[in-house]
Amino acid sequence: MTDAGIPAAHIVLLLCARPLPDASVDAALGEAIARGVEWDALLALAEANRMLPLAHRALAGRADVPETVRSRLRIVFAENGRQALALAAELRRLVAALQGAGVRALAYKGPALAMRAYGHLALRTYSDLDLLVAPDDVPAAARVLSAAGYQSAHRLTPAQDAAFRRTDGDYPYHHPRTAVLVELHCHVSSLRFGVPLATERLIARARPVPIGGGGVLAPADDDLFLALCVHGAKHRWARLEWLAAAAALAVRAALDLDALLVRAAEVGARRTVLLALVLMRDALALPLSPAADRAASADPVLPALAAEARALWFAADPHRSADAGDSTDSATPALTHSRTHALNETAANLRFNYRLREGAADRARFAARWLFTPSPEDWAWARLPDALSPLYRALRPLRLGVRYGLRRGG
């Protein structure tokens, strides 16, 4: 953290992400700031990594930080607080409506994670709400969201919906008047990633979380930590705040990380969790047990994966998208660059997650799931009647070949 070759702005950003700011962090911030910080670069990196609220927490009271920087952070924090309260109120309203319809819904990420990780709604930046329901409850939950004014982004046939619910199960809903986005999930992670965290078990183990004068159910702390590790790895931990929130949750909940590693191994996510722990240890000074340290040191793949993730936090383009996924291509010429960037990000994420799998058989299963499991993009690319839906398993490799091969250059 004190290496003279590391830009001071990078050191400050990592210190802001520490789960427990204390006197040692305060002293390290003073040393880094005394070296000279490019404040515009720091603010751009903090914004790209969704770290502005945590930067405000760490820097707002420091006299060695320029008043212009502290003022900007105060403004952003206040605005973020207003948005957080509004989203928390909407979250409580939707959860109550779902409960009234007999649907048990968990608040997943968003305001619930802010409270569990930081104890403060405004210390995370979020613009959407994530709800987790049992797969069988998706139709009832969809009706509740529709009655609340939300519109689904998906138009699936019965066969497509059944397949999507088994594998992916994330349904985006947009409110045209408020612009709020709700992600309705029936899995915390697509089964394409091969980490079977059973939704029914997560719901059975849920716990209440107080949010903005009310309360909602959220996954148990250890369940949530595992889900956050899977989500972070899915996107190569491209945002530092994702790691900061997971580390803060581990500290606030006093999680038994060795026990979590055992459970992670049971669901095929041992290396996924080990990677998160290595990043927390090296970037956020989170102490690990000797057993976890030995396990991390014995894994030859982790150093390169950790280096790739860390590089993304300090990427030159502060407006990059960390959420690139399997989204439909746009044919608009003005979007060619962003489309190509999204394709590159998706391919990089897949390579990263392929390397996270342990053993040849696990990697083969991962590759087969991605190559042959149809998605909404496949169904939009070639519209077949439900009776012919098995053909999509053959058409998907063709579509992926066109997307990542012939059209890679835009």
Side-chain angles (χ1 to χ4, degrees):
M1 294 294 294
T2 58
D3 188 337
I6 302 176
H10 295 189
I11 296 174
V12 170
L13 188 72
L14 292 174
L15 288 168
C16 291
R18 292 278 187 96
L20 285 178
D22 56 18
S24 65
V25 173
D26 186 68
L29 280 170
E31 293 175 5
I33 292 170
R35 285 178 47 193
V37 175
E38 294 185 19
W39 293 106
D40 287 342
L42 172 65
L43 292 174
L45 287 173
E47 182 177 9
N49 282 280
R50 301 291 179 89
M51 284 283 298
L52 287 172
L54 293 179
H56 168 80
R57 180 184 68 173
L59 304 176
R62 299 191 63 95
D64 51 359
V65 176
E67 172 57 26
T68 53
V69 174
R70 288 182 285 148
S71 175
R72 179 175 170 185
L73 289 173
R74 281 195 300 270
I75 292 170
V76 169
F77 186 73
E79 177 57 33
N80 192 58
R82 286 190 289 270
Q83 183 176 15
L85 286 172
L87 286 172
E90 179 67 355
L91 175 64
R92 294 197 309 273
R93 183 178 79 90
L94 292 176
V95 168
L98 289 164
Q99 183 177 4
V103 176
R104 199 169 191 227
L106 306 190
Y108 171 49
K109 300 187 291 187
L113 177 56
M115 293 303 298
R116 289 304 306 128
Y118 304 122
H120 197 302
L121 280 175
L123 283 177
R124 295 196 75 235
T125 298
Y126 38 88
S127 57
D128 57 2
L129 299 172
D130 294 271
L131 295 169
L132 178 67
V133 302
D136 289 344
D137 284 336
V138 167
R143 289 192 292 271
V144 170
L145 290 175
S146 178
Y150 287 86
Q151 299 176 356
S152 174
H154 289 324
R155 296 291 183 269
L156 306 178
T157 70
Q160 292 168 356
D161 184 66
F164 184 71
R165 208 183 308 174
R166 283 194 304 269
T167 303
D168 296 306
D170 54 320
Y171 296 81
Y173 283 83
H174 176 262
H175 199 294
R177 182 177 59 82
T178 65
V180 172
L181 174 67
V182 171
E183 290 277 354
L184 181 67
H185 302 264
C186 60
H187 308 291
V188 295
S189 174
S190 169
L191 297 186
R192 297 168 194 273
F193 290 92
V195 182
L197 293 175
T199 301
E200 291 78 4
R201 183 185 179 190
L202 300 181
I203 293 175
R205 286 166 40 85
R207 53 159 295 174
V209 176
I211 292 180
V216 297
L217 287 175
D221 294 325
D222 53 346
D223 291 337
L224 181 56
F225 185 84
L226 279 175
L228 293 176
C229 289
V230 173
H231 175 265
K234 173 184 175 181
H235 298 293
R236 293 183 291 159
W237 289 105
R239 288 183 183 148
L240 178 58
E241 195 278 326
W242 289 337
L243 188 74
L249 173 68
V251 171
R252 281 177 60 87
L255 293 179
D256 184 340
L257 298 179
D258 288 339
L260 271 167
L261 271 176
V262 172
R263 183 177 168 200
E266 295 171 352
V267 295
R270 183 174 180 272
R271 179 176 282 165
T272 297
V273 173
L274 266 180
L275 172 62
L277 296 182
V278 166
L279 288 169
M280 292 174 191
R281 179 195 65 192
D282 296 345
L284 306 183
L286 184 73
L288 303 183
S289 70
D293 266 327
R294 287 194 298 272
S297 299
D299 191 318
V301 177
L302 290 180
L305 294 176
E308 184 173 347
R310 287 180 63 114
L312 291 173
W313 304 336
F314 309 113
D317 180 6
H319 302 295
R320 70 190 187 280
S321 170
D323 292 321
D326 190 16
S327 57
T328 304
D329 290 343
S330 167
T332 306
L335 298 181
T336 297
H337 174 75
S338 61
R339 182 189 67 197
T340 301
H341 175 73
L343 293 178
N344 291 339
E345 288 292 294
T346 301
N349 288 347
L350 291 178
R351 288 193 298 270
F352 188 93
N353 281 272
Y354 178 82
R355 291 156 66 198
L356 273 174
R357 310 318 303 164
E358 299 186 62
D362 196 14
R363 289 192 293 272
R365 284 191 295 269
F366 176 85
R369 279 191 294 265
W370 277 96
L371 189 59
F372 297 112
T373 304
S375 71
E377 288 71 30
D378 302 303
W379 300 322
W381 188 66
R383 298 188 180 277
L384 301 178
D386 280 357
L388 298 179
S389 59
L391 292 178
Y392 281 115
R393 294 179 63 84
L395 288 175
R396 178 172 170 82
L398 175 61
R399 183 185 73 84
L400 294 177
V402 171
R403 186 183 189 196
Y404 292 101
L406 297 178
R407 297 178 61 187
R408 183 65 178 270

